[in-house]
Amino acid sequence: MLDFAIFAVTFVIILVGAVLYLYPSSRRASGIPGLNPTDEKDGNLQDIVNRGSLHEFLVTLHQEFGSVASFWFGGRPVVSLGSVHQLQQHINPNHTTDSFETMLKSLLGYQSGMGGGAAETVLRKKVYENAINNTLKNNFPLVLKLVEELVGKWKSFPDSQHIPLCAHLLGLALKTVTQLALGESFKDDAKVLSFRKNHDAIWSEIGKGYLDGSLEKSSSRKGHYEKALSEMESVLLSVAKERKAQRKQTTFVDALLQSSLTERQIMEECMVFTQAGCVITANLCIWALHFLSTSEELQNKLYQELDEVLGSDPVTLDKIPQLRYCQQVLNETVRTAKLTPVAARLQGVEGKVDQHVIPKETLVIYALGVVLQDSDAWSIPYRFDPDRFEEESVRKTFCLLGFSGNQTCPELRFAYTVATVLLSTLVRQLKLHQIKGQVMEVRSELVSTPKDETWITVSGRSQN
């Protein structure tokens, strides 16, 4: 297997190591234009580290070499696609796994999702997605309650008080995900705080993708990570045993217990959902409120839709599809913030993009952060403009990239639901205001996160 240094950049590099170990192929280059390896052993690893993230590296790579470009992980070539046109051409029949879930499992050291055979993989994917969907249906009133508690807290603040979005919305995401996934025992704030401590310790390593390459060099840091992971796994296994004895059927873990998954597999699925669900939900909500706070016009347009569709009633699951402008706001949030900037798939059979042949078992990276701000696909790409999603062609492009439709990852669908409840509750009661002079910078990791705490103020909305 590749040296551990290959694992020191981002989650995709971890996936590369696993994929290349499981699927050996020739060492020949693909012939696609790109970088030569700067180091015989590590390929372009140091170039990626120097750019600060894989996303920033890919931005520069595609600027220099075009929309189809190659680089090296260790002694192996990798192909990156950086435009919608090339992604449309890319043929990969391996749709049995979700790329985000596969990468996260690889980071956590859970290889069973990759090596258990096609039938097991399809089964686990179906069980996982159905469990999330049923959990939302069974617990939607709880989501509404938790959101209303947060909005009520914000309403009690004076107009001048600065509200830290990252802290408050990660708290909302943690409460929502833990109670829906693991049950009512996580109504206990002390239990949630303990969960958060281990969650943060795990994600701080996964989220930045071992960017500085120092985990293996620091025994204290590695020990802290492994202790947090072990404690989290123990908690999840314990919860599963307790819920099995109680024979309840309302939460995510309950749904998994009704399946044929093993105890270990149930723990792994709970780990993936609680880790990814919390971070994706929190950051989708953070970025959505940040972008809305920059424009009173956008807030008023969303308010009008909410008033027309919901009136004074709370949002319900069956009403969510009718909130089309709210969906546009969330779509544009995902696009502008580059919420998940990179995905990857294994080339299952030999393929071709433009004149370039992609050999079988080549790792193909989808440079989504590049594609989402490609001026050929999006007019004025750096502007936050939900109206762009009124066009069917734009919606089709977004679906192609895996951010909507059947290919959307389950954690993102969950996050959309929670964010819709938040927006529908908040915007009808409060106006959001940006803090003057605040500069928002993106940290492009597994999920794009603000580099620093993000602040807004709120004021009451007058009722006509």
Side-chain angles (χ1 to χ4, degrees), residues 3 35 47 109 144 192 225 231 237 255 260 268 281 286 313 364 389 391 424 439 443:
D3 186 89
L35 292 173
D47 298 318
L144 189 60
V192 175
Y225 168 76
E231 288 181 358
L237 286 167
S260 60
E268 291 179 357
T281 299
I286 290 166
D313 297 329
V364 179
F389 282 93
E391 299 180 21
S424 67
V439 178
R443 190 168 65 230

Side-chain angles (χ1 to χ4, degrees), residues 256-462:
L256 297 181
L257 288 166
Q258 306 305 311
S259 71
S260 60
L261 298 184
T262 66
E263 185 179 85
R264 174 73 187 183
Q265 289 171 334
I266 289 171
M267 183 278 293
E268 291 179 357
E269 304 300 348
C270 286
M271 180 71 80
V272 170
F273 179 49
T274 54
Q275 287 288 322
C278 285
V279 177
I280 292 177
T281 299
N283 283 288
L284 177 60
C285 292
I286 290 166
W287 287 113
L289 295 194
H290 163 69
F291 289 129
L292 284 173
S293 73
T294 66
S295 172
E296 185 175 358
E297 180 183 351
L298 295 180
Q299 292 180 56
N300 289 338
K301 189 168 182 178
L302 179 56
Y303 175 86
Q304 285 296 120
E305 177 182 75
L306 294 169
D307 186 55
E308 291 172 5
V309 175
L310 304 176
S312 60
D313 297 329
V315 67
T316 58
L317 265 178
D318 64 309
K319 289 285 188 179
I320 286 179
Q322 299 178 40
L323 299 174
R324 296 189 62 181
Y325 187 71
C326 185
Q327 176 80 19
Q328 290 174 208
V329 168
L330 295 177
N331 286 348
E332 183 66 345
T333 296
V334 170
R335 190 199 67 81
T336 308
K338 307 180 294 292
L339 193 66
T340 54
V342 182
R345 289 194 181 279
L346 183 70
Q347 184 70 37
V349 297
E350 183 177 282
K352 191 174 184 181
V353 173
D354 291 341
Q355 74 275 22
H356 306 293
V357 174
I358 301 178
K360 179 182 178 181
E361 295 168 358
T362 297
L363 188 76
V364 179
I365 288 182
Y366 293 176
L368 298 176
V370 176
V371 175
L372 289 171
Q373 296 191 342
D374 179 2
S375 59
D376 291 336
W378 321 92
S379 62
I380 317 179
Y382 293 97
R383 184 177 71 182
F384 184 79
D385 180 16
D387 288 342
R388 73 174 76 243
F389 282 93
E390 290 180 348
E391 299 180 21
E392 184 179 358
S393 61
V394 173
R395 294 195 298 271
K396 285 183 177 179
T397 297
F398 205 63
C399 183
L400 170 71
L401 299 177
F403 294 114
S404 63
N406 294 332
Q407 295 301 317
T408 312
C409 77
E411 299 87 4
L412 183 57
R413 287 201 296 269
F414 179 90
Y416 264 73
T417 302
V418 176
T420 300
V421 175
L422 176 63
L423 295 186
S424 67
T425 305
L426 182 61
V427 171
R428 284 190 290 169
Q429 301 182 54
L430 295 169
K431 290 184 178 181
L432 313 176
H433 308 284
Q434 190 178 36
I435 303 298
K436 290 184 179 180
Q438 180 175 232
V439 178
M440 285 285 289
E441 293 186 61
V442 182
R443 190 168 65 230
S444 297
E445 300 176 344
L446 190 63
V447 176
S448 292
T449 305
K451 284 187 176 180
D452 301 300
E453 179 58 89
T454 305
W455 305 85
I456 64 168
T457 61
V458 298
S459 61
R461 180 177 287 277
S462 59

